[in-house]
Amino acid sequence: MALDRWLALVILLICLAYGYAAYFTMDALLPPIMKRSPIWPSSFPKVLVIGAILLSLSILLGLEKSPDKSDAADINLSRLHEYKVGQAVLLLVLMVAYALLLRPIGFLAATFLFLSVGSFILGERRFGLMILVAAIAAGTVWYLVDVVLGIFLSPFPMFLSGG
């Protein structure tokens, strides 16, 4: 079985466990007043589970591949050194660093650094454009989450915001 089918099988198993939690355990913990609501906190996880199960089944059954297509796009583990594994590992390390730096340096700085360093790792070398896009994206996301949605998100470092 190809690597994509193994990954689809793992994702399917995770989705089945997550779906069991979304359909049976999350709803049991709701207070009585919430049970009359048309949309519950478990509604979005249920939609995600159904979509992920359908997509993973389509990969497992091979429905996404056309019959005339060769398997040249499959990952060849014997040629793993030819892939850009270093970039992937650096991006994973950057994601962990982003999560760890989010509170100490604030959302705006952490997101700006994540986007700019991530684009540098992926090969972007137009620094002016990279900095402009990272700053606009960080500011826009903070504005949407904090002001529009009303979810407090500390934009500045802890020592500046009194935390």
Side-chain angles (χ1 to χ4, degrees), residues 21-42:
Y23 276 94
F24 298 109
T25 61
M26 289 176 78
D27 295 341
L29 301 174
L30 286 175
I33 195 161
M34 289 288 295
K35 290 185 180 181
R36 294 190 183 121
S37 176
I39 297 178
W40 293 359
S42 65

Side-chain angles (χ1 to χ4, degrees), residues 16 41-42 55 59 63 78 81 86 101 151:
L16 289 174
S42 65
L55 289 174
I59 293 172
L63 300 177
S78 64
H81 64 281
L101 291 174
I151 301 169

Side-chain angles (χ1 to χ4, degrees), residues 96-139:
V96 171
Y98 174 70
L100 293 174
L101 291 174
L102 198 55
R103 285 185 187 232
I105 68 171
F107 179 81
L108 290 176
T111 305
F112 174 78
L113 287 173
F114 174 75
L115 292 174
S116 55
V117 173
S119 61
F120 180 78
I121 289 172
L122 291 175
E124 180 62 46
R125 295 299 180 257
R126 294 177 287 183
F127 296 110
L129 180 66
M130 185 169 58
I131 288 171
L132 179 68
V133 168
I136 290 173

Side-chain angles (χ1 to χ4, degrees), residues 33-125:
I33 195 161
M34 289 288 295
K35 290 185 180 181
R36 294 190 183 121
S37 176
I39 297 178
W40 293 359
S42 65
S43 297
F44 188 63
K46 289 175 183 176
V47 172
L48 284 178
V49 163
I50 291 170
I53 286 175
L54 290 175
L55 289 174
S56 60
L57 281 175
S58 72
I59 293 172
L60 270 175
L61 299 174
L63 300 177
E64 88 285 359
K65 294 183 180 180
S66 60
D68 60 339
K69 183 180 174 185
S70 65
D71 287 338
D74 286 344
I75 295 176
N76 187 354
L77 295 178
S78 64
R79 295 181 10 195
L80 191 62
H81 64 281
E82 295 177 12
Y83 300 118
K84 297 183 179 182
V85 178
Q87 280 184 344
V89 170
L90 281 174
L91 284 175
L92 288 173
V93 169
L94 185 63
M95 288 179 202
V96 171
Y98 174 70
L100 293 174
L101 291 174
L102 198 55
R103 285 185 187 232
I105 68 171
F107 179 81
L108 290 176
T111 305
F112 174 78
L113 287 173
F114 174 75
L115 292 174
S116 55
V117 173
S119 61
F120 180 78
I121 289 172
L122 291 175
E124 180 62 46
R125 295 299 180 257

